[in-house]
Amino acid sequence: MNEQYEELDLIEEIVRNDGSKYFEISNIDQNGIAELAADRGKIKSVRILQLNIPRTKALITYEKYINENYKLETLTNEDDWKNPDWVEWKKPKGKVLDAYNMVLKSNQIG
């Protein structure tokens, strides 16, 4: 679905407007979109927990799923940064959720 494949290389903590939290595997461009979403009240806050995470099989599995299933907004597209959407990426049971959990566990997050 994404026009340009994006590598994921960091883990961030997202705080929803209701105060609940979740972790996301992301990159600096997506983190910038999250910061804008927080500034505009679409989420409460975002903070980077881990940079330069290892490119494991689990990370590549999750990254491929995200790139194939979501339109990733970018700071180089004016429409994206002027009015960023906030989409919480789903993690379907099976290999995607297992890969996501493995990345968090191997980076001692969660």
Side-chain angles (χ1 to χ4, degrees):
M1 178 174 238
N2 192 18
E3 295 159 9
Q4 180 179 342
Y5 191 89
E6 289 194 29
E7 290 187 357
L8 306 178
D9 60 2
L10 61 83
I11 300 172
E12 56 193 8
E13 178 186 71
I14 308 291
V15 180
R16 299 175 185 101
N17 284 332
D18 67 3
S20 61
K21 300 176 184 179
Y22 72 99
F23 301 111
E24 193 52 81
I25 303 163
S26 189
N27 62 28
I28 201 68
D29 200 33
Q30 296 307 308
N31 179 261
I33 293 294
E35 292 285 351
L36 288 171
D39 288 347
R40 292 179 172 97
K42 296 183 179 194
I43 57 175
K44 193 170 200 172
S45 66
V46 58
R47 70 183 177 122
I48 296 173
L49 301 176
Q50 185 76 34
L51 291 168
N52 300 321
I53 59 176
R55 291 203 53 76
T56 61
K57 280 184 166 183
L59 174 62
I60 293 167
T61 296
Y62 185 70
E63 175 183 279
K64 184 178 179 199
Y65 162 76
I66 295 302
N67 274 277
E68 289 175 353
N69 290 280
Y70 291 94
K71 178 196 176 295
L72 302 179
E73 294 185 331
T74 177
L75 295 173
T76 59
N77 180 340
E78 188 173 353
D79 289 335
D80 289 347
W81 59 260
K82 278 192 169 183
N83 190 25
D85 285 329
W86 186 253
V87 177
E88 186 172 333
W89 299 338
K90 304 294 180 207
K91 291 136 185 89
K93 288 183 181 179
K95 73 177 187 174
V96 172
L97 182 58
D98 292 346
Y100 168 83
N101 287 328
M102 180 61 71
V103 171
L104 295 182
K105 183 178 179 181
S106 66
N107 285 279
Q108 301 174 358
I109 305 285

